[in-house]
């Protein structure tokens, strides 16, 4: 896009009849300048490629230099709009308006170049405008090189606002938001390997040891695809007691439901142990997926699901010995929806009372309480009672609390854990994701969860547990188990300290009595019949009471391996080096930096260099700028070069201080001038003010420390520069100058034994400058007398 400050280019100077062009890029650059100068937009109406001409006429023209043998360009307003329909409805606006502007570019065989012919630059029925030219869609379009650079921006995944600003600033084109969707689709098309399902599966299996199993149906359709990492398999081996199973939707473009299988780890976190994409949620498909976990059927005690009979039947087929439980939340929601459907005419208070009875039915703690609540419900809401009797009573062990008190649930009675995980997956996946993208994102998602769990395990080991006085007697147990398990144990100790128990031995068992409760314990203190122990497999209040009464050592109480502290898995920390050759996975070692990351790192270095250059003298500054311009030209040209540094040894004794007070020599003329002047601040001396050149020479020589040499060697190009960041020579920065002078004075004081005393001629100079900095905040002419720095008295008003 032409800037207002650019020189005005006449259209006839860019394109004219009979003009010759060496190559197609030469013509394209001229056409671009012509469009910017005239505000027009052109499109190709007809063309013939050089490849076709070489084939038909048996020529051997260079197709890279001459891609087109002939092309006719017309104005975007060329021609008339084609009639369509009867004209009764209003049609959207269009560009054609009978403009006849056109020209032809063709290969000129005599001179082996392109020649422009038949140029008609008269635009009819519309007036071109330089301000409107950039808004044409064809002028907003990015060329091949610009698209490649724009793809680097898309790889960073910026939001649309930042992407628009970057494209407009980089290419000078008026890119619109509607152009971004087209650009993103081209980016996906050019990176087709990233979406190649076979290549993703192969890399997951070969590089990362993942298990990916799939089945192809009779109609060559994908029936299911199961994804499981090696860490998921190890997690299932450690925590197989209870499985949570649920499906979610709208996660891929094939509209295949995503089945997630989850366990609960030692930190109380839900951990996925398998993902499966299903063609349909039938018993056959779900059974095929669950059969992968058949080897753990003896260890899987409980499975939590929603009321999906396909899932329930598949679980009973694969895990016949496991108990299937329904989520409390889904059971209550189903009752509430049925109440709204059956009792539309009743008041809200009556509906709320029926809802309360339905909840009491779910949370019944005994068979008597369940029967009583069901009887009351059938009396006040017979329709709901009949519905429950017909559909729910046969499976009441799956949803009534009383029937699951002796099952291993780890304290979870709902599927809310996996529902929350599905919600997080929805933030990661959407309907536009291919299966390859889904597998890649699921792999990254699982890696992040592995690191979160490893962090919690590490916290339990590296942090010290602080127990209150009433819990210090149980420290041996808390030190063995994780913080989540310790939280459950605290609740049991709290109950134990507030209740009274009695211990009796009956045969080969121990009985702990509390009121009407009677819980049986093994003599070796290994198990208890209470609901807490059966649910959590942790030492309960009854085991703690028995150990205390029998003086049984607490450290001998059995704590399952699933609740014990352990080091994070070694391969979790090594599993973060995922290669990203064919699709984007994170990699810690040798990770490819994005364009944004490289820009930020380069900006930090360039800002530091600019800050340093602003402090050096003008001659030194111009010298550095010349060297950096040389360095920049080498980068642009793509030449190879190397840096070599020659740093002066700091252990060598410092050179004796000269009149400038530093270990550097000053120009002889300035040294003589300073030594011959008795008092620079004395106004009686006829001192001559120094010229700007002398000031720069003094600043660059007096305040410059020992330098080192940096040589860039691109074939036969080299230059040198200083490494120090302590140069200060600009008197326009009084605070900076004052700090440097104080630092120089301190250096001289430390090295007083090795150096000559500072020349007396510099002391008044330093004193004057420091006084001026302190009082006025800016330096004055240092050749004036010391009295000139005193504040002037204000004149009395008449």
């Amino acid at each position: 896009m032409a800037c207002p400050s650019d020189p005005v280019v006449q259209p006839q100077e860019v394109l004219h009849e009979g003009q010759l062009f060496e190559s197609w890029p030469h013509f394209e650059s001229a056409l671009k300048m012509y469009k910017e100068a005239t505000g027009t937009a052109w499109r190709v109406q007809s063309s013939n490629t050089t490849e076709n001409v070489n084939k038909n006429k048996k020529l051997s023209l260079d197709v890279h230099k001459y891609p087109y043998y002939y092309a006719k360009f017309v104005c975007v307003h060329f021609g008339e709009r084609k009639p369509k329909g009867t004209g009764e409805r209003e049609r959207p606006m269009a560009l054609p308006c009978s403009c006849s502007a056109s020209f032809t570019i063709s290969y000129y065989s005599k001179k082996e170049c392109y020649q422009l012919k038949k140029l008609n630059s008269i635009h009819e029925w519309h007036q071109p405008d330089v301000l409107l030219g950039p808004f044409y869609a064809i002028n907003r379009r990015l060329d091949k090189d610009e698209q490649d650079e724009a793809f680097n921006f898309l790889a960073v995944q910026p939001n649309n606002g930042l992407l628009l600003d970057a494209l407009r600033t980089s290419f000078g084109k008026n890119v619109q938001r509607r152009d971004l969707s087209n650009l993103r689709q081209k980016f996906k098309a050019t990176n087709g390997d990233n979406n190649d399902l076979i290549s993703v599966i192969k890399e997951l299996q070969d590089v990362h040891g993942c298990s990916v199993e799939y089945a192809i149906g009779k109609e060559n359709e994908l029936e299911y695809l199961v994804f499981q990492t090696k860490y998921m398999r190890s997690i299932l081996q450690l925590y197989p007691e209870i499985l949570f199973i649920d499906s979610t939707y709208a996660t891929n473009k094939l509209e295949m439901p995503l089945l997630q299988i989850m366990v609960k780890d030692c930190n109380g976190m839900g951990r996925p142990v398998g993902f499966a994409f299903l063609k349909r949620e039938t018993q056959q498909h779900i059974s095929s997926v669950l059969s992968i976990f058949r080897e753990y059927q003896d260890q899987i005690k409980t499975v939590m699901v929603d009321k999906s009979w396909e899932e329930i039947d598949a679980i009973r087929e694969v895990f016949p010995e496991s108990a299937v439980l329904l989520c409390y939340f889904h059971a209550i929601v189903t009752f509430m929806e049925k109440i709204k459907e059956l009792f539309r005419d009743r008041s809200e208070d009556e509906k709320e009372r029926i809802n309360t009875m339905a909840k009491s039915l779910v949370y019944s703690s005994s068979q008597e309480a369940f029967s009583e609540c069901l009887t009351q419900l059938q009396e006040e809401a017979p329709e709901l009672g009949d519905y429950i009797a017909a559909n729910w009573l046969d499976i009441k062990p799956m949803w009534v609390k009383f029937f699951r008190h002796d099952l291993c649930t780890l304290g979870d009675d709902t599927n809310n854990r996996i529902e929350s995980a599905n919600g997080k997956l929805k933030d990661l996946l959407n309907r536009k994701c291919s299966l390859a993208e889904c597998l890649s994102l699921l792999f990254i998602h699982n890696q992040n969860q592995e690191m979160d769990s490893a962090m919690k395990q590490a916290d339990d080991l590296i942090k010290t547990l602080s127990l209150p006085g009433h819990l210090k007697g149980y420290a041996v147990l808390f030190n063995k188990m994780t913080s989540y398990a310790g939280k459950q144990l605290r609740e049991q100790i709290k109950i134990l300290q507030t209740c009274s128990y009695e211990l009796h031995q009956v045969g080969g068992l121990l009985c702990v009595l509390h009121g009407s409760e009677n819980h049986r314990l093994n003599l070796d203190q290994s198990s208890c019949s209470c609901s807490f122990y059966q649910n959590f497999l942790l030492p309960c209040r009854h085991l703690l009471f028995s150990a205390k009464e029998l003086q049984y050592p607490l450290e001998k109480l059995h704590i399952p391996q699933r609740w014990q502290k352990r080091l994070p898995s070694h391969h979790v920390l090594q599993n973060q080096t995922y290669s990203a050759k064919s699709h984007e996975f994170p990699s810690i070692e040798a990770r490819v930096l994005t364009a944004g990351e490289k820009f930020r790192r380069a900006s930090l270095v360039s800002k530091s260099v600019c800050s340093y250059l602003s402090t050096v003298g003008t001659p030194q500054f111009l010298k550095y700028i010349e060297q950096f311009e040389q360095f920049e030209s080498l980068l642009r040209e793509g030449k190879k070069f190397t840096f070599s540094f020659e740093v002066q040894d700091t252990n060598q004794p410092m050179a004796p201080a000269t009149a400038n007070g530093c270990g550097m020599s000053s120009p002889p003329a300035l040294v003589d001038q300073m030594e011959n002047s008795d008092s620079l601040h004395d106004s009686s001396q006829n001192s001559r003010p120094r010229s700007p050149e002398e000031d720069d020479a003094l600043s660059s020589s007096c305040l410059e420390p020992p330098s080192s040499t940096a040589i860039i060697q691109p074939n036969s190009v080299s230059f040198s520069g200083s490494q120090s960041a302590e140069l200060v020579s600009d008197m326009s920065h009084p605070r900076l100058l004052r700090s440097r002078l104080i630092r120089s004075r301190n250096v001289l004081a430390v090295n007083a034994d090795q150096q000559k005393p500072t020349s007396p001629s510099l002391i008044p100079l330093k004193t004057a400058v420091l006084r001026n900095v302190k009082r006025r905040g800016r330096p004055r002419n240092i050749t004036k007398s010391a009295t000139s720095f005193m504040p002037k008295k204000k004149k009395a008003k008449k």
Side-chain angles (χ1 to χ4, degrees):
M1 187 183 298
C3 300
S5 59
D6 293 343
V8 179
V9 180
Q10 299 298 329
Q12 59 273 16
E13 298 177 2
V14 183
L15 290 182
H16 55 82
E17 182 72 24
Q19 186 175 358
L20 302 179
F21 303 96
E22 296 178 357
S23 61
W24 187 263
H26 184 202
F27 161 71
E28 284 185 327
S29 61
L31 179 60
K32 181 179 179 181
M33 294 178 59
Y34 182 77
K35 291 191 291 185
E36 293 177 352
T38 59
T40 56
W42 301 83
R43 62 179 177 86
V44 178
Q45 185 189 41
S46 59
S47 64
N48 191 8
T49 63
T50 305
E51 184 178 0
N52 291 336
V53 174
N54 288 342
K55 183 178 180 181
N56 296 332
K57 296 186 178 182
K58 298 182 179 180
L59 301 178
S60 59
L61 299 178
D62 187 357
V63 294
H64 299 287
K65 188 175 182 180
Y66 310 108
Y68 290 95
Y69 190 80
Y70 160 87
K72 181 180 180 180
F73 285 81
V74 297
C75 176
V76 293
H77 298 281
F78 183 87
E80 298 180 356
R81 187 171 184 173
K82 295 181 180 180
K84 192 174 182 180
T86 59
E88 295 181 359
R89 291 182 298 177
E90 182 180 358
R91 298 179 63 186
M93 296 184 294
L95 291 176
C97 63
S98 302
C99 179
S100 60
S102 63
F103 64 87
T104 301
I105 184 77
S106 61
Y107 179 72
Y108 190 26
S109 59
K110 291 184 178 181
K111 295 188 177 182
E112 296 183 354
C113 62
Y114 282 112
Q115 185 178 23
L116 191 143
K117 301 178 181 179
K118 302 178 183 179
L119 175 61
N120 178 15
S121 58
I122 300 176
H123 295 268
E124 302 172 349
W125 304 101
H126 74 98
Q127 183 63 34
D129 195 324
V130 177
L131 298 179
L132 295 179
F135 291 93
Y136 284 98
I138 197 169
N139 290 342
R140 301 196 312 263
R141 192 175 301 161
L142 303 180
D143 58 26
K144 182 66 171 60
D145 295 335
E146 292 172 341
Q147 279 187 12
D148 293 340
E149 189 171 351
F151 290 164
N152 294 332
F153 293 130
L154 288 174
V156 189
Q157 297 183 354
N159 59 43
N160 288 341
L162 294 177
L163 182 59
L164 278 176
D165 180 69
L167 296 179
R168 291 171 179 172
T169 305
S170 301
F171 309 131
K173 293 187 177 181
N174 190 23
V175 182
Q176 301 297 314
R177 289 184 180 271
R178 69 184 107 172
D179 302 325
L180 296 183
S181 60
N182 297 333
L183 191 62
R184 293 182 190 276
Q185 292 299 324
K186 290 182 180 179
F187 175 70
K188 288 186 177 181
T190 55
N191 292 272
D193 292 339
N194 296 351
N195 300 326
D196 187 359
L197 181 60
I198 302 301
S199 64
V200 172
I201 292 176
K202 182 174 175 46
E203 183 169 354
L204 287 172
Q205 292 175 335
D206 298 343
V207 179
H208 306 285
C210 299
S211 172
V212 182
E213 300 186 14
Y214 55 90
I216 305 298
K218 296 180 180 180
E219 300 178 359
N220 200 24
E221 293 183 352
L222 182 65
E223 297 293 333
Y224 65 85
L225 185 147
V226 185
F227 168 66
Q228 191 182 30
T229 66
K230 58 183 179 182
Y231 192 65
M232 289 181 183
R233 294 194 293 270
S234 64
I235 288 295
L236 183 57
Q237 291 176 359
L238 288 173
Y239 316 112
E241 291 82 5
I242 181 171
L243 295 183
F244 303 89
I245 300 178
D246 191 26
S247 299
T248 186
Y249 308 93
T251 59
N252 56 87
K253 63 172 62 175
L254 298 181
E255 298 183 357
M256 298 180 71
L258 174 59
L259 182 72
Q260 183 175 185
I261 304 171
M262 180 177 286
V263 298
K264 185 176 181 179
D265 68 358
C266 60
N267 300 309
M269 297 175 58
R271 306 292 300 280
V273 294
F275 295 100
F277 293 94
L278 307 175
K279 181 180 178 181
R280 286 183 296 271
E281 286 186 283
T282 63
Q283 178 183 350
Q284 180 182 359
H285 287 80
I286 298 175
S287 299
S288 302
V289 171
L290 294 180
S291 61
I292 300 174
F293 307 95
R294 192 187 297 272
E295 58 180 301
Y296 305 102
Q297 62 179 344
D298 296 335
Q299 305 175 45
I300 297 174
K301 300 179 180 180
T302 312
V303 182
M304 183 78 67
V305 296
D306 305 337
K307 195 182 179 182
S308 172
W309 286 108
E310 291 78 10
E311 294 179 359
I312 294 172
D313 294 339
I315 293 169
R316 287 175 174 173
E317 177 184 348
V318 180
F319 308 120
E321 302 298 328
S322 302
V324 182
L325 302 181
L326 296 182
C327 170
Y328 279 171
F329 175 78
H330 287 84
I332 293 174
V333 168
T334 303
F335 289 156
M336 294 175 65
E337 292 177 352
K338 196 64 179 180
I339 290 171
K340 289 182 180 179
E341 178 185 348
L342 296 176
F343 307 106
R344 297 178 180 178
D345 299 335
R346 297 198 183 187
S347 63
E348 295 297 328
D349 294 339
E350 293 181 351
K351 292 181 183 178
E352 185 64 28
R353 188 172 67 257
I354 298 175
N355 283 332
T356 304
M357 287 189 292
K359 292 180 182 178
S360 301
L361 201 65
V362 174
Y363 292 106
S364 299
S365 58
S366 64
Q367 180 65 47
E368 294 77 10
F370 177 80
S371 302
E372 181 182 351
C373 186
L374 181 61
T375 302
Q376 183 182 1
L377 187 65
Q378 290 176 337
E379 291 177 356
E380 297 194 15
E383 299 89 344
L384 181 62
D386 296 340
Y387 165 75
I388 293 176
N391 299 280
W392 291 83
L393 285 184
D394 293 340
I395 57 171
K396 60 183 178 181
M398 298 172 60
W399 58 276
V400 180
K401 182 178 180 180
F402 168 74
F403 292 97
R404 64 173 65 177
H405 74 280
D406 57 345
L407 298 177
C408 179
T409 61
L410 303 181
D412 286 339
D413 292 315
T414 67
N415 247 358
N416 292 347
R417 187 179 304 277
I418 195 171
E419 292 285 351
S420 175
N422 286 338
K424 294 177 182 178
L425 287 179
K426 289 290 189 69
D427 296 335
L428 193 66
L429 309 176
N430 54 59
R431 294 180 184 271
K432 298 181 181 180
C433 291
S434 64
L435 286 185
E437 292 174 336
C438 290
L439 289 179
S440 304
L441 293 173
L442 288 175
F443 182 86
I444 297 173
H445 175 72
N446 186 68
Q447 277 190 322
N448 294 335
Q449 285 197 330
E450 291 170 6
M451 291 304 298
D452 292 341
S453 178
M455 187 64 194
K456 286 197 173 185
Q457 293 180 20
D459 282 345
D460 287 341
L461 294 173
I462 64 180
K463 293 182 179 180
T464 304
L465 183 63
S466 178
L467 296 173
H470 67 283
L471 294 179
K472 289 185 177 180
Y474 303 95
V476 64
L477 294 178
F478 285 106
N479 291 333
K480 283 185 179 180
M481 61 182 62
T482 63
S483 56
Y484 177 81
K487 182 180 178 181
Q488 313 303 323
L489 183 62
R490 280 185 174 90
E491 297 295 328
Q492 293 297 302
I493 296 175
K494 183 178 179 181
I495 299 174
L496 175 62
Q497 293 176 346
T498 56
C499 299
S500 59
Y501 295 91
E502 296 180 4
L503 180 64
H504 301 280
Q505 183 173 353
V506 180
L509 297 175
L510 294 174
C511 296
V512 177
L513 303 179
H514 173 65
S516 60
E517 297 180 0
N518 183 7
H519 301 287
R520 296 177 301 277
L521 287 68
N522 291 340
L523 291 177
D524 58 354
Q525 308 286 324
S526 60
S527 64
C528 179
S529 62
C530 70
S531 60
F532 175 83
Y533 182 85
Q534 297 298 326
N535 290 342
F536 286 94
L537 306 177
L538 279 171
C540 61
R541 56 189 181 272
H542 311 106
L543 288 172
L544 296 177
F545 175 75
S546 174
K548 181 180 179 181
E549 292 295 321
L550 300 177
Q551 297 183 355
Y552 187 81
L554 292 179
E555 58 269 17
K556 292 186 177 181
L557 289 178
H558 177 65
I559 298 178
Q561 186 182 3
R562 71 163 353 267
W563 296 119
Q564 294 180 13
K565 294 181 180 179
R566 63 172 53 87
L567 288 172
S569 180
H570 179 63
H571 91 273
V572 173
L573 305 179
Q574 294 181 337
N575 204 23
Q576 305 302 312
T577 59
Y578 194 81
S579 173
K581 292 182 179 179
S582 61
H583 47 282
E584 295 190 7
F585 287 121
S587 177
I588 300 299
E589 299 178 2
R591 183 175 64 85
V592 178
L593 297 179
T594 62
E597 291 173 334
K598 289 186 283 189
F599 179 82
R600 286 191 291 271
R601 291 184 63 176
S603 298
L604 294 176
V605 178
S606 60
K607 286 181 181 179
S608 177
V609 173
C610 293
S611 300
Y612 164 63
L613 290 179
S614 65
T615 63
V616 304
T618 302
Q620 193 75 0
F621 173 79
L622 296 178
K623 179 181 177 182
Y624 285 147
I625 289 299
E626 180 181 358
Q627 295 169 352
F628 279 115
E629 288 175 350
Q630 201 173 11
F631 170 64
E632 189 266 346
S633 65
L634 294 175
L635 288 178
R636 292 280 185 186
E637 295 172 3
K639 293 184 178 180
K640 296 183 178 180
F641 53 85
T642 58
F643 287 93
S644 63
F645 296 91
E646 297 178 3
V647 184
Q648 181 176 346
D649 188 4
T650 56
N651 296 326
Q652 296 179 359
M654 295 181 60
T658 57
N660 57 6
C662 304
M664 297 294 295
S665 60
S666 299
L670 292 178
V671 174
D672 295 340
Q673 179 185 353
M674 295 170 64
E675 291 180 349
N676 294 334
S677 58
D678 295 334
S679 177
L680 290 177
H681 67 282
D682 189 358
S683 61
S684 62
Q685 298 288 341
N686 296 326
S687 58
R688 176 181 62 83
R690 292 193 301 273
S691 63
E693 292 77 4
E694 293 174 339
D695 284 336
D696 289 330
L698 175 63
S699 61
S700 62
S701 61
C702 175
L703 297 176
E704 186 180 85
S707 61
S708 61
T709 302
I711 302 175
I712 296 182
Q713 299 174 345
N715 299 332
S716 62
V717 183
S718 66
F719 61 88
S720 62
S722 175
Q723 261 188 318
S724 176
E726 300 293 334
L727 298 181
V728 179
S729 60
D730 194 352
M731 291 293 183
S732 64
H733 299 282
R735 295 182 180 177
L736 193 59
L737 176 62
R738 180 170 181 265
S739 63
R740 296 301 190 273
L741 288 175
I742 293 175
R743 187 183 304 172
S744 177
R745 183 179 60 186
N746 295 337
V747 171
L748 291 175
V750 173
N751 299 278
D753 296 336
Q754 303 178 8
Q755 302 183 19
K756 296 180 180 180
T758 306
S759 175
S761 60
L762 267 183
I763 297 176
L765 170 64
K766 293 181 180 179
T767 307
V769 173
L770 291 177
R771 185 185 298 117
N772 183 41
V773 170
K774 182 177 181 181
R775 292 188 177 182
R776 296 293 183 183
R778 58 185 182 185
R780 296 190 180 186
N781 191 348
I782 59 176
T783 60
K784 293 184 180 181
S785 62
T787 57
S788 63
F789 294 99
M790 299 298 293
K792 296 181 179 180
K793 295 182 180 180
K794 295 183 179 180
K795 295 182 180 180
K797 295 183 179 180
K798 295 182 180 180

